[in-house]
Amino acid sequence: MNRILLGLIFFSISPLGLAQDYSLDIPVAPKKTLEWSGNLDGKYTVMQMRPESPFYKIQFSDDLSNYLSQYRLELYLNADYRTRNMGFHLKTHGIYYNDSNAQFDLFEAYGNYNFSLNTTLHFGKQVFSWGKGYAFNPAGFINPFKDPENPELAQAGLLSMSFETIKSFRNKWLQTAALTAVVIPPAENIDQRYAEIENTDFALKGYALVWNTDVDVMGYFSGDGSAKYGADFSLNLKENIEIHGEFAYSTDETTLRFKSGLPTESMENGYSWLAGLRYLNRWNTTIIAEYYRNDFGWTKSDYSKYLGSIETALQNDMIPDNLGNVPSGMTQMQDYLYLKISQPEPFDLLYFSPSIYTIYNLQDRSYIIGAPMTYSPVSNFSMIFWPTLISGKNDSEFGSKPMQLKFDLWMRFYF
Amino acid sequence: MIKISYMKSLLLLGILLTLPPMIFAQDANELLRKIDENLMPESYESYRKLINEEPNGKRKEYLFYTVKKGKDRVAMLYLEPASDRGRSTLRLDENMWLYIPNVRKPIRITSMQSVIGGVFNNSDIMRLDYSVEYNATILKETDKEYVLNLKAKNRTVAYDRLKMWALKDGLILTKIECYSATNMLLKTLEFKEIKKFGNGLVRPSVIETYSPLYKGYRSLMIYITIKPRKFPDEVFTLNFMPRMEELR
């Protein structure tokens, strides 16, 4: 009673109360069982091409202008239906170039049933994101391919069934433990409808928060006998410094090498790993730095031979089938440095967040430098201007890409 | 006999000289614990709006659903704007994570970062009880209020020192100044608009903050509802971050 009286007195005499310039009558967002969300991106790109690149020669003809443009619309449409014990989630992606060239993708479509608050079963096509790396995830055995230039881009999921259980603990050294088990049915290769059951893959991940450190151990066991084992960690050293790392060991990984100048598939065992940090300074600048090593990537010599094979094939007007089996993802070689610096609202420029990043190939010294600049003057709308320089010697990884300079302008509307 | 009395007196004097600071520290920490109790139930769910106001008067608004358990577990779901909807943040003691739906995994963040911009940083938005992070001493006491000095218990706490004003009657918080280790004033928080939230909870419903480092900027945190609610520990785990909407 005293408190209420005091409150009323305080409110009535407080000059702050009198100087109120905001409304306290705020409605609470009602909970909806079915919810729609998404965003529409309009993307306009101007590219300065590299006609001497063998990849340019595969894709384009000789008599084109050095400057190409592209205008496309991308629609991300999501629906979530949730009750206390179950849910259904849909994430779609549509891309439109013109009336005769449009595409629709089902990124995710999965249901979940909660046996209890800490035990869940998932069924359907779902994205997994394992590993602690920002730009690369060597231990992300079931992740979609990540674009290190834009790691936050929505991706397509994996058709799977998964089971997850979590347990919290009240002691100093172990606070949480969780286990995720994933069954990945084989791709249907018989009449496009059936598959042999022995090709089913399994993945397991155990997570623990121990001594204020996130630790995961994971494994992937393929129906063909190959296996991958991995681990990762992440912890805050100080209130503004985080460090993380990932490690993976794979057996019988199908790898393309060049023997006597000819592309040959071989089965290899090897390691890949990553070490990184995230640092925030007193001016609110965030720095992310990562080193990534991949034993299954190509050496400088492999890459030169790969380019040579394409040039020879182009001269003979025939591309060998197994040249399509190149190391997947954006980065194909063994050693990379990633650095990103972002600064929200520098020099009091409101709603403006520039950043700059580089992916540097340590073997051939080729690199990508991008500088996305985001301007968000109102809620639910962003404009992004994103110049990218892709550079290196002609026989280097990034120096052999079909474009050398790119300017993107994106308009993004959320709902 | 006289000698023994003299020794005893000296001993007593010594004890008396060392006791007051200890008693004051105990009193101050007890005061701080009561101030915490008056601000929030031990476990609760809450809706609050956060407004970032720019020097030109433009505003950006966020709506959060927050749950807290005990002294060291806080989780928060972004409800508005649509561009941030579905994001969630989790704090377990000194550890903090951010979950972004497109990234599909929680990433560690630091207490000094601000995931939404503006003057409030993560530790302001995902605040634990003050008595968990700070040791208190009484700086000044008047007829109407206490002024406490709060020193961080360790280096991972966002502010090295706080200066806190609380009304004596009802132990209601009115103002906090946040200082760095070099004794620089980082920001000021003012607690306003006392409101009845039900279940006997009467507290300021608005926290306004401004900083000499962000001249012309102002951020407001407006509590809409605060209700006591019990949660299992598993709600405060990385695996539960994508599922926070199920709690509403």
Side-chain angles (χ1 to χ4, degrees):
Chain A
M1 194 64 198
N2 271 350
R3 268 193 221 160
I4 296 169
L5 191 64
L6 177 81
L8 292 173
I9 294 166
F10 179 74
F11 182 69
S12 61
I13 60 168
S14 166
L16 305 171
L18 296 174
Q20 182 178 310
D21 53 349
Y22 37 80
S23 169
L24 297 179
D25 186 20
I26 302 165
V28 172
K31 179 181 167 66
K32 295 175 192 161
T33 311
L34 177 63
E35 233 173 3
W36 293 90
S37 63
N39 57 285
L40 175 70
D41 291 2
K43 297 182 175 177
Y44 180 70
T45 309
V46 174
M47 296 156 275
Q48 184 184 0
M49 307 309 289
R50 188 179 276 127
E52 67 277 16
S53 154
F55 303 106
Y56 178 93
K57 290 174 190 165
I58 291 174
Q59 199 174 356
F60 303 105
S61 64
D62 287 338
D63 53 358
L64 284 177
S65 157
N66 275 358
Y67 293 90
L68 301 182
S69 72
Q70 185 185 75
Y71 186 34
R72 65 190 191 276
L73 295 177
E74 288 187 50
L75 176 68
Y76 296 83
L77 184 61
N78 313 319
D80 292 279
Y81 175 84
R82 286 189 194 90
T83 65
R84 186 162 284 273
N85 294 321
M86 56 82 71
F88 170 71
H89 311 272
L90 189 70
K91 289 189 192 300
T92 65
H93 173 236
I95 186 162
Y96 174 90
Y97 292 97
N98 52 55
D99 287 348
S100 56
N101 187 4
Q103 187 183 325
F104 173 81
D105 297 304
L106 191 63
F107 272 8
E108 290 187 88
Y110 67 93
N112 67 283
Y113 175 70
N114 307 329
F115 292 102
S116 65
L117 196 98
N118 55 351
T119 305
T120 310
L121 185 71
H122 290 93
F123 223 87
K125 188 177 183 186
Q126 188 188 1
V127 168
F128 293 89
S129 190
W130 291 5
K132 299 291 184 232
Y134 179 77
F136 311 97
N137 290 117
F141 303 140
I142 55 175
N143 296 4
F145 290 123
K146 193 184 223 177
D147 179 358
E149 282 201 82
N150 192 359
E152 295 183 13
L153 199 66
Q155 303 275 15
L158 182 70
L159 199 60
S160 59
M161 293 166 269
S162 65
F163 171 85
E164 182 179 88
T165 186
I166 325 160
K167 177 77 185 152
S168 287
F169 300 91
R170 288 270 174 181
N171 65 55
K172 284 272 178 198
W173 65 277
L174 175 64
Q175 287 160 290
T176 312
L179 179 73
T180 308
V182 187
V183 180
I184 304 146
E188 288 73 15
N189 55 3
I190 307 163
D191 282 349
Q192 298 292 309
R193 291 169 70 186
Y194 307 101
E196 289 176 288
I197 198 164
E198 62 258 37
N199 292 328
T200 303
D201 292 355
F202 298 90
L204 273 175
K205 181 165 80 82
Y207 162 78
L209 178 59
V210 277
W211 287 294
N212 293 322
T213 306
D214 293 312
V215 178
D216 292 289
V217 288
M218 55 277 273
Y220 183 91
F221 309 96
S222 179
D224 65 12
S226 65
K228 301 170 200 277
Y229 309 91
D232 67 33
F233 77 93
S234 167
L235 82 150
N236 285 77
L237 288 183
K238 280 180 71 181
E239 76 278 10
N240 61 343
I241 301 175
E242 178 266 356
I243 58 167
H244 55 264
E246 276 183 51
F247 167 84
Y249 175 72
S250 305
T251 63
D252 291 334
E253 180 94 2
T254 308
T255 312
L256 192 70
R257 298 289 182 201
F258 291 86
K259 288 175 184 165
S260 314
L262 294 172
T264 312
E265 281 183 2
S266 62
M267 307 294 268
E268 293 183 8
N269 301 341
Y271 299 93
S272 51
W273 58 276
L274 170 141
L277 67 84
R278 184 185 295 250
Y279 168 70
L280 178 80
N281 70 13
R282 56 184 292 201
W283 299 284
N284 213 15
T285 311
T286 299
I287 297 167
I288 300 171
E290 288 182 345
Y291 168 73
Y292 171 51
R293 163 77 193 182
N294 177 19
D295 274 2
F296 301 103
W298 284 335
T299 60
K300 194 177 170 186
S301 157
D302 282 335
Y303 197 79
S304 292
K305 287 172 187 163
Y306 169 58
L307 290 181
S309 301
I310 292 178
E311 289 284 8
T312 309
L314 278 167
Q315 281 161 17
N316 298 331
D317 217 13
M318 195 172 68
I319 305 288
D321 285 344
N322 63 357
L323 272 183
N325 193 17
V326 300
S328 40
M330 177 78 185
T331 47
Q332 298 169 316
M333 292 173 70
Q334 291 186 337
D335 291 289
Y336 294 93
L337 269 184
Y338 176 86
L339 180 70
K340 182 178 182 182
I341 302 168
S342 43
Q343 176 67 57
E345 302 186 340
F347 315 113
D348 288 336
L349 293 167
L350 299 180
Y351 321 121
F352 176 63
S353 291
S355 59
I356 186 164
Y357 66 87
T358 183
I359 303 165
Y360 186 77
N361 184 325
L362 289 162
Q363 288 169 288
D364 64 17
R365 299 183 181 182
S366 64
Y367 56 87
I368 295 177
I369 296 176
M373 288 168 255
T374 306
Y375 180 61
S376 309
V378 291
S379 292
N380 300 325
F381 170 72
S382 291
M383 197 157 50
I384 302 166
F385 177 63
W386 189 333
T388 311
L389 172 69
I390 305 159
S391 187
K393 289 181 182 166
N394 284 349
D395 62 347
S396 67
E397 182 185 20
F398 297 128
S400 61
K401 296 285 180 200
M403 73 183 78
Q404 50 186 311
L405 198 56
K406 188 170 68 145
F407 295 95
D408 282 296
L409 181 65
W410 297 2
M411 300 281 178
R412 178 169 281 175
F413 306 85
Y414 296 90
F415 64 93
Chain B
M1 193 69 185
I2 295 165
K3 218 172 194 177
I4 293 167
S5 294
Y6 177 71
M7 286 302 285
K8 272 186 179 173
S9 304
L10 267 182
L11 190 66
L12 190 66
L13 184 68
I15 291 167
L16 285 174
L17 280 173
T18 51
L19 265 182
M22 283 167 64
I23 291 168
F24 281 140
Q26 274 182 356
D27 285 352
N29 284 321
E30 185 58 22
L31 271 177
L32 188 60
R33 201 182 54 74
K34 284 181 180 160
I35 289 169
D36 280 331
E37 278 176 13
N38 291 349
L39 269 181
M40 284 296 186
E42 195 183 17
S43 291
Y44 67 84
E45 65 176 353
S46 160
Y47 287 92
R48 56 189 166 149
K49 182 152 229 167
L50 201 142
I51 302 170
N52 284 336
E53 199 174 87
E54 314 288 1
N56 63 4
K58 276 195 176 179
R59 291 176 167 200
K60 282 197 171 181
E61 300 189 357
Y62 300 83
L63 184 64
F64 299 128
Y65 171 70
T66 309
V67 297
K68 181 170 178 275
K69 181 175 185 178
K71 294 188 180 305
D72 59 354
R73 288 160 199 243
V74 191
M76 191 173 86
L77 175 70
Y78 292 56
L79 301 175
E80 290 175 10
S83 55
D84 291 347
R85 187 165 169 72
R87 288 184 176 212
S88 59
T89 43
L90 170 68
R91 180 167 186 185
L92 273 182
D93 203 358
E94 291 149 20
N95 305 288
M96 284 191 205
W97 298 267
L98 167 69
Y99 172 81
I100 301 172
N102 272 357
V103 178
R104 297 303 296 264
K105 69 177 169 191
I107 51 169
R108 269 186 181 260
I109 52 174
T110 63
S111 56
M112 286 304 283
Q113 237 175 317
S114 178
V115 288
I116 54 159
V119 189
F120 284 118
N121 65 26
N122 295 339
S123 70
D124 299 322
I125 300 167
M126 306 272 290
R127 195 180 65 76
L128 302 180
D129 287 359
Y130 291 109
S131 54
V132 170
E133 297 189 300
Y134 296 93
N135 287 317
T137 50
I138 297 175
L139 268 182
K140 193 176 154 190
E141 185 179 343
T142 67
D143 291 346
K144 289 182 180 172
E145 66 179 6
Y146 291 108
V147 184
L148 303 182
N149 183 54
L150 273 56
K151 179 74 182 159
K153 287 181 179 173
N154 60 56
R155 291 175 65 196
T156 57
V157 177
Y159 309 111
D160 183 66
R161 189 172 74 81
L162 302 180
K163 193 174 174 185
M164 175 183 277
W165 284 258
L167 291 177
K168 259 185 168 175
D169 199 357
L171 286 179
I172 290 179
L173 201 52
T174 55
K175 190 169 119 175
I176 292 176
E177 287 177 350
C178 310
Y179 292 89
S180 70
T182 55
N183 213 26
M184 182 171 71
L185 176 63
L186 296 172
K187 72 178 67 159
T188 303
L189 305 167
E190 290 186 1
F191 295 73
K192 303 174 174 182
E193 313 292 357
I194 290 173
K195 178 179 164 181
K196 286 191 270 182
F197 284 93
N199 300 294
L201 181 68
V202 181
R203 54 153 288 164
S205 61
V206 176
I207 304 170
E208 181 181 329
T209 183
Y210 46 88
S211 164
L213 305 176
Y214 300 90
K215 282 193 179 127
Y217 287 76
R218 184 174 75 142
S219 290
L220 298 161
M221 196 187 291
I222 302 173
Y223 282 89
I224 306 164
T225 64
I226 304 171
K227 284 184 195 163
R229 186 175 164 188
K230 303 252 182 252
F231 298 97
D233 285 351
E234 281 73 19
V235 162
F236 303 90
T237 56
L238 299 195
N239 302 59
F240 200 82
M241 291 179 82
R243 295 172 52 196
M244 270 203 70
E245 183 71 41
E246 292 172 19
L247 298 174
R248 295 216 297 143

